[in-house]
Amino acid sequence: MKILRQAAIIAAVCAVAELIRYLVPLPIPASVYGLILMLLALLTGLIRPEQIETAADFLIAILPLLFVAPTVALVARLERLASLVVPILLLGIAGTTLVIGLSGRAAQAVGRHEKHTEDRDA
């Protein structure tokens, strides 16, 4: 029952995001609106992390499965996309490298900030 309640909260945020996407005439996906809404709800305390933690952990755990269908579709159409294979691979490698690099920099910055805060408090 706990997971259903948590999933319902996440689904409600997604539904509101879809409504916003429908009402606001901007080319922004509903998922972006949903992320912003969830962030605002968490920052304001409207939703506490404990209220969605289990369902969110489950969704993160199954996230790789969500990429299986698009990957299979891409491989199935690879013959028609033969001229795009090299650019797609280069973009994939560049994107992955960029994400890893930026994530590492962000983690280092957070670590430095936490160490600075601990040193200042001590």
Side-chain angles (χ1 to χ4, degrees), residues 5-6 9 25 32-33 38 41 55 65 71 85 94 102 105 118:
R5 188 178 326 113
Q6 292 182 5
I9 292 170
V32 173
Y33 288 126
M38 185 62 79
L65 293 176
T71 303
V85 170
L102 290 175
R105 290 284 189 181
E118 287 174 3

Side-chain angles (χ1 to χ4, degrees), residues 7-113:
I9 292 170
I10 293 172
V13 170
C14 292
V16 172
E18 285 290 341
L19 181 65
I20 292 172
R21 186 196 58 80
Y22 178 75
L23 295 174
V24 177
L26 294 174
I28 298 173
S31 58
V32 173
Y33 288 126
L35 288 170
I36 293 169
L37 286 173
M38 185 62 79
L39 176 65
L40 291 174
L42 289 167
L43 288 175
T44 60
L46 185 64
I47 297 174
R48 292 185 317 278
E50 309 84 51
Q51 291 177 298
I52 59 168
E53 189 172 27
T54 305
D57 287 344
F58 171 74
L59 291 172
I60 290 171
I62 67 164
L63 188 64
L65 293 176
L66 302 177
F67 291 101
V68 171
T71 303
V72 169
L74 182 65
V75 170
R77 294 192 177 119
L78 205 52
E79 291 174 359
R80 288 194 288 161
L81 300 173
S83 63
L84 297 175
V85 170
V86 172
I88 288 172
L89 285 174
L90 290 176
L91 285 172
I93 291 168
T96 302
T97 303
L98 184 66
V99 167
I100 290 172
L102 290 175
S103 298
R105 290 284 189 181
Q108 288 175 344
V110 168
R112 281 193 298 271
H113 177 72

